[in-house]
Amino acid sequence: MADERIGRSSVFTVVLRRPEVGAGIAAITVCLFFAIITPTFSSPAGISTWLESSSTIGIMAVAVSLLMIGGHFDLSAGVMTGTTALFVGILAGTYGVNLWVAVLLALLLALTIGALNGFLVLRTGLPSFIVTLGTFFILQGANLAVTKMLTGTVALSGTGNLPQFGQVRTLFGSELVFGSLTIKAPVIWFLLVTAIATYVLQRTRLGNHIFAVGGNRDAARGVGVRDVRTLLGLFMTTAGAGWLVGMLSLFKVGTAQATTGVGQEFIYIICAVVGGCLLTGGFGSALGAALGALIYGMTYQGIVYAGWDNNWLKSFLGVMLLAAVLVNWSVAKKAGVRQ
């Protein structure tokens, strides 16, 4: 008699168990839907626009997905984009620091804040939701207060006039042209971040450690996984992604807003969940989170191109989140993943 424990699953079942499959199907559906109802959506200019719209959300969603797979959240991820952009603007514009140096110091600041978030969570055992919510309010208040103190407004302008702006913009604000299609720097960074994150999760020991600490931290520690180092690295990764998006925003327009990124943190989580991440950790996909961001970007621009009231976007996000949670719950249950 055959042992049922070693029975083979069908190819179809194996594919369905991949966390990003649902998001992939949804992305194709959304793309075809808007391409049919509005020609602008599938035009070169339209594609360039919704790709760029998806990319900055996607960079953060991919980083957030890694942290969620590790079993934690970072609600300061959104405001970090504004914090780092303002930090560069203040150092370079107000105090005359070389722009390249200011960019690197902003990265150091972001990584330090990320490490502090991780340290507090691991040291105290408090929920990451609470710790990073506190960081969110601290950064939001500092962004507004410092910017108003220096400029009298909530914006910091003039970065575009600095001597090294053109040089740094080559890294964060350039674009590639393929015929009539323009691919801007955020899209290139988005693809790069997604590829690296997917490789790390699927092909490296670190990826195994991320899944392990998110699935059962005590068990992971028992088999030699360096849980503290892994989780600190994940918090620093989300902060580093915030820095990258902040630089992409700053060197696109040369202006930093104190309110940049505020309110985006839940969109990152939604994109990660739509992409297959469980809220309980231990299961998910960086590629899925990227597809979730693509769905968001296509829907956002598709609604605009179709001439609809863009307030429907929030309703769509709610429906998408609930549907994704139910699908992920069903798939994870069949795959034997802890809920």
Side-chain angles (χ1 to χ4, degrees):
M1 183 176 178
D3 190 339
E4 63 180 6
R5 292 175 300 176
I6 58 175
R8 294 183 178 179
S9 299
S10 67
V11 174
F12 181 71
T13 301
V14 172
V15 170
L16 282 182
R17 286 177 177 174
R18 293 295 308 163
E20 65 272 4
V21 169
I25 295 172
I28 293 172
T29 302
V30 170
C31 184
L32 290 176
F33 174 76
F34 283 111
I36 291 171
I37 68 170
T38 170
T40 307
F41 182 85
S42 55
S43 67
I47 293 173
S48 177
T49 301
W50 55 256
L51 278 177
E52 184 181 12
S53 178
S54 303
S55 61
T56 50
I57 295 292
I59 291 169
M60 291 303 307
V62 167
V64 166
S65 73
L66 297 181
L67 183 59
M68 287 180 63
I69 293 170
H72 291 278
F73 300 92
D74 187 352
L75 296 186
S76 67
V79 72
M80 184 68 71
T81 63
T83 298
T84 51
L86 288 168
F87 188 74
V88 170
I90 291 171
L91 285 183
T94 305
Y95 295 104
V97 176
N98 180 280
L99 196 54
W100 284 106
V101 174
V103 168
L104 292 177
L105 288 176
L107 174 59
L108 180 61
L109 173 67
L111 295 177
T112 301
I113 294 173
L116 181 59
N117 279 337
F119 173 79
L120 289 175
V121 169
L122 297 172
R123 180 68 175 177
T124 65
L126 291 171
S128 54
F129 183 95
I130 298 299
V131 172
T132 58
L133 182 62
T135 304
F136 165 82
F137 283 117
I138 292 170
L139 294 180
Q140 183 185 25
N143 290 351
L144 290 168
V146 173
T147 307
K148 281 189 175 182
M149 180 177 66
L150 294 175
T151 68
T153 67
V154 294
L156 193 66
S157 58
T159 308
N161 300 322
L162 296 174
Q164 301 87 18
F165 184 84
Q167 299 173 12
V168 185
R169 195 173 189 274
T170 302
L171 183 61
F172 297 109
S174 57
E175 57 188 36
L176 298 175
V177 179
F178 300 95
S180 55
L181 179 64
T182 301
I183 303 297
K184 297 185 179 180
V187 179
I188 299 171
W189 280 104
F190 175 36
L191 295 174
L192 181 61
V193 167
T194 302
I196 293 173
T198 300
Y199 177 81
V200 168
L201 278 180
Q202 300 298 326
R203 302 293 182 183
T204 69
R205 179 181 297 180
L206 175 59
N208 292 334
H209 289 183
I210 293 172
F211 282 109
V213 296
N216 189 321
R217 185 181 170 192
D218 291 334
R221 189 189 300 116
V223 296
V225 172
R226 296 179 177 179
D227 56 316
V228 172
R229 179 182 298 183
T230 299
L231 291 173
L232 278 176
L234 291 175
F235 278 102
M236 292 173 71
T237 297
T238 58
W243 164 83
L244 176 56
V245 173
M247 297 306 97
L248 292 171
S249 172
L250 176 63
F251 290 100
K252 176 183 177 181
V253 296
T255 300
Q257 298 279 344
T259 55
T260 297
V262 176
Q264 298 288 304
E265 49 282 334
F266 288 110
I267 294 178
Y268 307 148
I269 294 174
I270 289 174
C271 291
V273 171
V274 169
C277 291
L278 292 180
L279 295 174
T280 50
F283 188 80
S285 164
L287 177 59
L291 290 171
L294 190 63
I295 294 171
Y296 175 85
M298 289 191 295
T299 303
Y300 179 81
Q301 293 301 145
I303 287 175
V304 173
Y305 293 148
W308 300 344
D309 184 345
N310 61 10
N311 288 315
W312 284 110
L313 176 64
K314 300 297 183 182
S315 296
F316 173 80
L317 286 176
V319 171
M320 190 168 65
L321 176 61
L322 288 174
V325 168
L326 291 173
V327 170
N328 293 344
W329 172 82
S330 177
V331 171
K333 184 177 181 181
K334 291 180 180 178
V337 178
R338 180 181 63 86
Q339 298 293 309

